[in-house]
Amino acid sequence: MKKIYTNGNFYTFDSIKANVQAVVVDNGRFIDMGTTEDMLLHWKENGSEVINLEGKAVTPGLIDSHLHLSQIASKFLNLDLTGMASKQEMLDQIVTRTTKLKPGEWLVGSGWDENLFSDGSPIPAIHELNQAAPHNPLFLSRICGHASVVNTKALEVINYHPDMSLPEGGAIVLDENTKKPTGLVLESASELFKQHIPAKSYEELKGAMRQAIQFALEKGLTSVHSNDPLYLGGLEQTYRMYDELLNQEELGLRANLLINHDFLDDLRDMGMYVGYGNHTLQIGAVKLFADGAFGRRTALLSESYEDDPENYGEAMYSQEAIFDIVKRSRELSMPVAVHTIGDQALENVLDILDQFPAASYRDRLIHTQVLREDLIKRLARPSRIADIQPRFLAADFPWVKDRLGKKRIELAYAWKTLQSAGVICAGGSDAPVEPVDPLLGIHAAVTRKAPGENHDGWNPKEKLTMHEAFRLFTEMGAYPTNEETVKGTISRGKLADMTVYSKDPFTFADADELLNTDIEMTIIGGDVKYQKNTTS
């Protein structure tokens, strides 16, 4: 049955017809577009469904090029510490959670960020965590995922001792004086604890994923690129769960799955490859980390941190190890998606990629937050994507200026420079590190400030226009998956994915109006999968 969406203000992002009033959908794809009068005249017939959008603004469906849907789902299962404004508030939440647990049961949570502690307090020390959760092993991940805090009960579970072997790139931080654990755990050392945390049942995980998918739809997302096998029980179970939710239950969202390099053998054994699946669910690139993050000064820099002159950050793996991962990926004709925040991490990865032929799908350099002119030139290739997260700016400024110093900050979060240099950029959130709401990412790209701040923006010459920012989350979101001929614009023959807004973002005199703009509908394959106040 054909569907005709009429009386809308469609921003197509198609250069041939930039704006139309109506679109016609058949079999999940756009087949025509133009004025409402013409579309009704040519296509209205018995059985056609006409949906009147009453003048609302419409864009191609919003795409998030990098998030972790499984970790969003975990917030429906575990303690959510997102937005805690003080250490005491965080400790109070821990105490409350313990009342719901049996002695010895793990207390698991995520989302804390000491940069939000308004009283300037540090992260909780291990003795404070022991006091808050005296009978339960505790593991709480920082919002960035690169640091965690644990208590003594958790250390006892892993049989901690000073001489124990730690995973490469990880650390259990010790007090300088006592040489005992402070409770802070960095990077891959978290795996020592995670392996002891009882796994949720398949049905528990699936239920939480269903909630996370619905949450993404409510934010206007039609497609996501998600990294989940480490959190959903491996590659086979991850694919099965997504297949049941998206292909069988037809929840609507489209998903491209990034596969951690740990599962390369599974990819081969299961006969999967990049692009395996269909337009609803596909296998994507091989994911790995080259460095950490700014919050704990573990992002790898070519020059030391401005506020810690002896510290250059940390490489997650040796060059030999990364080379081997890329080599094994290329043997399966797979592209890679590499977390690179610091400029030295980016250089290290580009040095390795330059030694291999391009894969049939583009390699992704995720985050690319600190740049240099020479690295930008090396990024500007058709086979490479800068997978950027504009919302990071709102969370990281102003404290990141102290980390990087005046000189480096000029080419940090430099999205306008990247685009001007011909680098292909796609926009994501890295949720739950940042909110999944793409309008917040678009706001950050346009204003270069956090909501509520009153200034011209951090390094305002790097601001994007509203059209450029939306393009990151629509048209360009199709490029990492080689789907630019399939989706990303409202064009004849493409998948009929659209997002409908309560206000028209392209008429705003003040971009802060984005913060008061609601998603009215999320339309996927021509079907309304979310509608404000009602769901279908």
Side-chain angles (χ1 to χ4, degrees):
M1 180 178 69
K2 293 181 179 65
K3 293 186 178 183
I4 309 172
Y5 286 88
T6 64
N7 297 314
N9 188 4
F10 292 83
Y11 294 88
T12 68
F13 288 75
D14 184 315
S15 58
I16 296 175
K17 277 191 175 181
N19 291 89
V20 296
Q21 290 180 323
V23 299
V24 183
V25 178
D26 189 26
N27 198 27
R29 293 178 182 262
F30 297 111
I31 62 169
D32 203 357
M33 57 204 62
T35 66
T36 293
E37 182 181 7
D38 284 349
M39 294 304 101
L40 290 175
L41 177 65
H42 290 296
W43 295 104
K44 189 176 181 183
E45 56 191 39
N46 289 337
S48 294
E49 182 180 358
V50 178
I51 300 100
N52 188 342
L53 295 178
E54 300 176 345
K56 291 186 173 64
V58 187
T59 68
L62 294 172
I63 300 172
D64 191 311
S65 64
H66 182 65
L67 51 65
H68 306 267
L69 208 58
S70 56
Q71 290 176 265
I72 296 170
S74 75
K75 292 183 177 292
F76 296 106
L77 294 170
N78 300 318
L79 179 60
D80 184 5
L81 297 168
T82 305
M84 295 293 105
S86 69
K87 176 174 71 172
Q88 191 56 53
E89 185 179 358
M90 178 176 170
L91 291 170
D92 290 344
Q93 289 293 316
I94 294 170
V95 171
T96 300
R97 187 72 172 193
T98 60
T99 63
K100 303 176 182 178
L101 302 174
K102 299 174 183 177
E105 190 176 349
W106 277 89
L107 194 165
V108 180
S110 63
W112 60 269
D113 181 358
E114 74 281 12
N115 292 307
L116 298 181
F117 293 171
S118 56
D119 57 2
S121 56
I123 63 173
I126 194 166
H127 72 273
E128 294 172 306
L129 297 169
N130 291 339
Q131 215 170 13
H135 307 297
N136 302 89
L138 173 149
F139 180 86
L140 304 173
S141 300
R142 191 180 186 277
I143 193 166
C144 64
H146 295 274
S148 307
V149 290
V150 300
N151 62 358
T152 298
K153 285 283 185 185
L155 290 166
E156 290 172 356
V157 170
I158 72 165
N159 296 315
Y160 171 79
H161 58 85
D163 299 320
M164 74 184 302
S165 177
L166 300 179
E168 183 180 6
I172 293 177
V173 178
L174 305 180
D175 183 273
E176 291 183 2
N177 298 317
T178 66
K179 303 303 179 186
K180 293 182 178 180
T182 63
L184 183 63
V185 177
L186 300 179
E187 303 295 355
S188 57
S190 65
E191 298 304 320
L192 295 171
F193 300 89
K194 289 178 182 177
Q195 63 185 323
H196 291 280
I197 298 172
K200 299 291 185 183
S201 71
Y202 182 84
E203 289 305 320
E204 284 177 313
L205 289 173
K206 185 177 175 181
M209 284 293 288
R210 189 181 290 109
Q211 289 178 277
I213 288 168
Q214 183 59 39
F215 187 62
L217 292 171
E218 291 170 9
K219 299 301 180 183
L221 288 168
T222 60
S223 295
V224 298
H225 305 184
S226 190
N227 178 212
D228 303 298
L230 288 175
Y231 301 95
L232 293 181
L235 173 59
E236 184 175 3
Q237 182 162 292
T238 298
Y239 193 86
R240 173 191 165 196
M241 193 176 296
Y242 269 99
D243 185 48
E244 290 174 355
L245 291 168
L246 301 185
N247 283 322
Q248 296 177 33
E249 292 188 26
E250 298 183 349
L251 294 183
L253 193 68
R254 304 187 195 276
N256 182 272
L257 305 183
L258 298 186
I259 308 303
N260 303 81
H261 70 87
D262 316 61
F263 302 102
L264 273 166
D265 290 341
D266 294 331
L267 274 172
R268 183 194 62 235
D269 295 344
M270 293 174 66
M272 291 181 170
Y273 46 85
V274 62
Y276 176 96
N278 56 28
H279 288 312
T280 297
L281 175 63
Q282 277 189 11
I283 294 294
V286 173
K287 172 72 186 296
L288 66 147
F289 286 82
D291 67 343
F294 291 137
R296 306 305 309 177
R297 299 181 184 84
T298 53
L300 187 63
L301 302 175
S302 58
E303 298 179 15
S304 65
Y305 280 84
E306 189 78 9
D307 56 356
D308 189 359
E310 299 301 315
N311 185 7
Y312 288 77
E314 298 179 16
M316 290 295 290
Y317 297 99
S318 67
Q319 285 294 87
E320 293 75 18
I322 295 178
F323 182 93
D324 181 65
I325 293 168
V326 176
K327 180 174 181 290
R328 292 171 60 213
S329 300
R330 287 297 199 263
E331 287 170 354
L332 297 177
S333 300
M334 295 288 290
V336 293
V338 192
H339 169 113
T340 53
I341 285 184
D343 64 321
Q344 188 60 57
L346 178 58
E347 181 178 355
N348 290 349
V349 173
L350 292 177
D351 285 348
I352 290 170
L353 290 179
D354 284 348
Q355 299 177 57
F356 291 89
S360 56
Y361 282 59
R362 299 173 178 96
D363 292 311
R364 310 186 195 192
L365 289 306
I366 301 173
H367 308 315
T368 57
Q369 282 173 254
V370 180
L371 298 163
R372 303 192 313 258
E373 293 288 354
D374 60 308
L375 298 179
I376 293 171
K377 292 176 183 177
R378 296 174 67 183
L379 277 172
R381 295 187 186 179
S383 60
R384 291 172 182 169
I385 298 271
D387 193 340
I388 63 175
Q389 289 67 44
R391 174 66 188 184
F392 277 7
L393 177 139
D396 293 356
F397 279 83
W399 59 263
V400 73
K401 296 194 299 179
D402 296 331
R403 298 278 198 277
L404 297 178
K406 187 175 180 179
K407 179 182 175 183
R408 273 184 301 207
I409 209 72
E410 290 296 310
L411 271 184
Y413 310 77
W415 313 311
K416 192 80 167 185
T417 295
L418 283 171
Q419 291 191 352
S420 299
V423 177
I424 304 172
C425 298
S429 65
D430 203 16
V433 176
E434 294 299 329
V436 72
D437 187 349
L439 294 186
L440 290 176
I442 291 167
H443 176 268
V446 174
T447 68
R448 294 188 67 87
K449 61 184 179 182
E453 291 182 345
N454 185 21
H455 55 77
D456 290 335
W458 305 107
N459 199 6
K461 67 181 175 63
E462 294 291 345
K463 287 181 179 180
L464 300 185
T465 66
M466 191 69 75
H467 186 274
E468 289 169 336
F470 264 91
R471 189 167 175 257
L472 284 175
F473 288 86
T474 54
E475 180 183 358
M476 302 314 297
Y479 276 73
T481 54
N482 283 26
E483 292 180 288
E484 59 266 32
T485 62
V486 176
K487 62 183 180 183
T489 66
I490 297 174
S491 308
R492 285 181 180 83
K494 286 193 176 183
L495 297 170
D497 298 348
M498 298 174 278
T499 305
V500 184
Y501 308 88
S502 63
K503 300 179 181 179
D504 186 339
F506 303 97
T507 64
F508 292 163
D510 184 346
D512 282 352
E513 288 190 62
L514 276 170
L515 305 174
N516 301 310
T517 300
D518 296 325
I519 302 300
E520 292 285 333
M521 290 182 185
T522 304
I523 302 165
I524 301 175
D527 296 329
V528 178
K529 292 298 182 179
Y530 165 77
Q531 187 165 357
K532 189 179 176 184
N533 298 324
T534 62
T535 54
S536 59

